[in-house]
Amino acid sequence: MKLETALKSLNHQDRQVRLESIQRISSGIRNDELLPVKRKNECNNHVHSQYSFSPYSPSMIAWKAYRSGLSTCGIIDHESVAGCREFQEACRILGIVPTIGFEIRLNWNHTPLKDKMFNDPDQKSVGYFPIHGVPVSKLAEIERFLQPIRQERYRRNQKMVKNIDSILRNYGLGLDFDWDVIPVSKWSERGSITERHLLYATAKKLLQKYSPGQEMISFLKNRLGIRLSETSEAYLTETENPYYEFDVTNILKGFFSEFMYVSASETETPDVEKVIPYLKEIGCIPTYTYLGDVKKESVTGDKKPQKFEDDILDEMMGLLRSYGMGALSYAPRRNDMQQIQMVRSLCRKYNMLEVAGEDINQPRQPFVNSGLGSDIKEYFDLTTWAIIGHEKMAEESLDKGFFSDSTIKKYPNLSERLKVYEKIGKETALGVRR
């Protein structure tokens, strides 16, 4: 395979072709056909792949991580672990240390915080939970757990497509779930279909009728009545913009979400007080991803100013601790320093691990955590290596996991435990890096 072909094939439909491309690229680096990129002490453990919604296959994520100089990178897909093994293999070929996980939504309907707003902008009593540090031996069990959740979401997506279709028909367009949505997903390979898939399919449909540039801008502003930010309009003005479909998708999210949304059932969003203990028992590290009140346009441009969980954060973390959850995650780049300090203070109060990642699902998002002070960055790097150490030890025995009862008994001090597992994680890296 030619190197140029390999670089263009990282998002190929066939998994084997993608991995062969990574092998060819790795060979190209060793043979000086490509300049090697020095590993920095940088981590990101929350990158979505095409098995939920993303511009990137698992192999492409590994390559982007390599080009960004990351030492470690983690895959997180909504209700799917289908990309985990490919991601692990691609990372190891390139000398990057992988960590794997997935993301689910859980409901709070049977808790004291019923009907509160969490980190889901579309539905109360529902929160997003990234699950880190998944032992590879548990992937089959996790797939059995996730499969009915995906099926329920599939049925809800069909209803939402009908809502979008009813709007598009006013403009001589339509949207079909089987013909338009499924083809832009990895559904046939145990991937999930999210609201973003619906909107991405809608963006593609609009671009069949309205040309990039002023024609698309005019339709969005004058026909749909969408107010475009200066940044968004600038992106859409660039007719050769390679991210055009994703930029339109972000804009449509703010417009269509209210009209298309159908509430998720408890089958799709299981009980938080039951699922957290279950995931902990099988060696995973459940976290809640802090969103925080959005005070202005969000970094990704797809969330309007809105109240989320700031007012209930203390009580929420106390409940999560009582359910056995020992970690909280957040993307520092989307929060102000006051919010970050509040979260860090509560994590200390509840003796909870802090996990950071940029939550990447758009092509304009950087892979490297940005805007962090050196002390915060040092802690996040420490945490990521500890999660890698946890994966290694939990794979040997669940009793050796970071949050197992025997481990906590042996290392009751969280800081000491972090350093022990960081060392294990970095020792693991020695067998992966070049």
Side-chain angles (χ1 to χ4, degrees):
M1 182 187 294
K2 293 182 178 179
L3 181 59
E4 183 180 356
T5 301
L7 289 167
K8 292 179 178 179
S9 300
L10 290 173
N11 271 346
H12 194 278
Q13 288 295 314
D14 188 286
R15 174 182 180 272
Q16 189 58 39
V17 172
R18 298 195 296 265
L19 287 173
E20 288 173 0
S21 299
I22 285 288
Q23 287 281 12
R24 178 63 183 90
I25 290 168
S26 178
S27 174
I29 294 169
R30 292 195 303 273
N31 296 332
D32 296 325
E33 296 174 83
L34 284 171
L35 287 176
V37 178
K38 185 179 180 181
R39 300 302 89 207
K40 306 170 188 175
N41 188 24
E42 295 282 355
C43 308
N44 194 335
N45 51 29
H46 196 130
V47 184
H48 293 280
S49 84
Q50 292 173 340
Y51 285 93
S52 51
F53 184 83
S54 171
Y56 314 123
S57 72
S59 292
M60 179 65 89
I61 293 173
W63 175 236
K64 294 282 289 185
Y66 177 85
R67 295 294 300 167
S68 300
L70 294 185
S71 294
T72 71
C73 189
I75 189 172
I76 294 278
D77 279 318
H78 292 280
E79 294 116 18
S80 176
V81 290
C84 289
R85 291 186 183 276
E86 175 190 343
F87 178 71
Q88 285 185 313
E89 189 171 350
C91 280
R92 287 174 177 143
I93 290 170
L94 292 172
I96 298 166
V97 185
T99 177
I100 61 175
F102 61 98
E103 189 164 6
I104 53 173
R105 288 167 302 154
L106 303 175
N107 81 74
W108 295 75
N109 289 335
H110 307 286
T111 77
L113 292 178
K114 178 183 179 182
D115 293 330
K116 298 294 184 181
M117 180 65 78
F118 293 90
N119 55 12
D120 185 333
D122 299 310
Q123 188 169 344
K124 292 181 178 180
S125 288
V126 172
Y128 284 89
F129 287 78
I131 313 301
H132 293 278
V134 174
V136 175
S137 60
K138 296 297 180 180
L139 286 176
E141 179 176 348
I142 290 167
E143 167 58 21
R144 289 192 293 273
F145 166 71
L146 294 175
Q147 197 272 339
I149 294 174
R150 285 200 306 272
Q151 287 286 354
E152 184 71 7
R153 188 168 193 172
Y154 182 97
R155 288 186 281 270
R156 184 169 65 92
N157 284 329
Q158 290 177 309
K159 296 176 183 178
M160 289 193 287
V161 165
K162 290 181 180 179
N163 291 342
I164 296 174
D165 179 71
S166 67
I167 296 173
L168 293 181
R169 289 193 177 279
N170 296 323
Y171 307 99
L173 293 166
L175 191 70
D176 182 86
F177 187 77
D178 293 329
W179 287 99
D180 299 318
V181 177
I182 289 181
V184 300
S185 75
K186 293 284 188 184
W187 177 255
S188 63
E189 300 176 48
R190 304 189 311 280
S192 66
I193 299 178
T194 71
E195 283 89 345
R196 289 183 188 272
H197 285 98
L198 279 54
L199 297 171
Y200 183 74
T202 302
K204 290 175 73 69
K205 185 69 76 169
L206 291 179
L207 283 164
Q208 292 175 9
K209 183 172 183 178
Y210 302 102
S211 300
Q214 288 305 316
E215 189 174 7
M216 175 62 75
I217 291 170
S218 177
F219 172 75
L220 294 173
K221 292 173 69 173
N222 301 328
R223 302 294 300 280
L224 293 185
I226 298 175
R227 184 188 67 81
L228 300 180
S229 68
E230 289 185 13
T231 301
S232 296
E233 188 160 346
Y235 288 155
L236 298 192
T237 301
E238 301 173 20
T239 56
E240 300 301 318
N241 166 9
Y243 310 136
Y244 212 97
E245 291 172 339
F246 288 93
D247 290 333
V248 174
T249 299
N250 278 345
I251 292 165
L252 294 179
K253 190 174 189 297
F255 174 79
F256 275 103
S257 290
E258 180 180 352
F259 300 106
M260 76 176 190
Y261 193 76
V262 174
S263 294
S265 69
E266 291 191 10
T267 300
E268 185 182 333
T269 61
D271 294 344
V272 62
E273 74 276 26
K274 294 178 181 178
V275 173
I276 295 300
Y278 162 70
L279 292 174
K280 183 184 173 186
E281 285 174 9
I282 62 173
C284 301
I285 299 178
T287 75
Y288 171 89
T289 184
Y290 170 72
L291 177 58
D293 298 352
V294 177
K295 301 173 183 178
K296 55 183 179 180
E297 184 181 273
S298 62
V299 172
T300 52
D302 61 351
K303 291 183 179 67
K304 61 185 179 182
Q306 190 174 353
K307 288 285 292 180
F308 288 100
E309 72 276 79
D310 280 0
D311 293 343
I312 61 167
L313 192 59
D314 194 337
E315 183 180 2
M316 182 196 78
M317 289 177 67
L319 284 171
L320 289 173
R321 200 72 183 91
S322 71
Y323 303 149
M325 200 175 89
L328 185 124
S329 60
Y330 52 101
R333 199 165 63 92
R334 69 186 178 196
N335 300 123
D336 60 36
M337 188 52 63
Q338 183 179 358
Q339 289 176 313
I340 291 174
Q341 289 173 346
M342 174 180 66
V343 171
R344 301 200 78 199
S345 176
L346 287 171
C347 282
R348 289 191 293 272
K349 175 181 177 180
Y350 291 106
N351 200 33
M352 295 177 79
L353 199 63
E354 300 169 48
V355 182
E358 286 292 358
D359 192 5
I360 295 172
N361 56 28
Q362 301 290 323
R364 295 188 183 277
Q365 294 174 274
F367 270 56
V368 176
N369 285 319
S370 57
L372 297 180
S374 58
D375 59 328
I376 299 178
K377 181 184 179 303
E378 183 179 350
Y379 179 84
F380 287 153
D381 292 341
L382 168 66
T383 301
T384 301
W385 285 114
I387 290 173
I388 292 165
H390 158 83
E391 285 185 26
K392 174 180 172 58
M393 299 307 293
E395 191 60 38
E396 292 182 9
S397 170
L398 294 181
D399 287 339
K400 296 180 180 179
F402 190 92
F403 286 107
S404 72
D405 292 340
S406 58
T407 299
I408 292 173
K409 184 177 180 180
K410 188 175 182 179
Y411 305 108
N413 182 276
L414 182 61
S415 296
E416 181 186 6
R417 203 182 333 146
L418 267 171
K419 291 178 181 178
V420 169
Y421 278 76
E422 175 201 26
K423 182 180 178 182
I424 296 170
K426 289 187 173 180
E427 288 172 351
T428 303
L430 295 176
V432 175
R433 286 181 176 170
R434 304 187 183 285

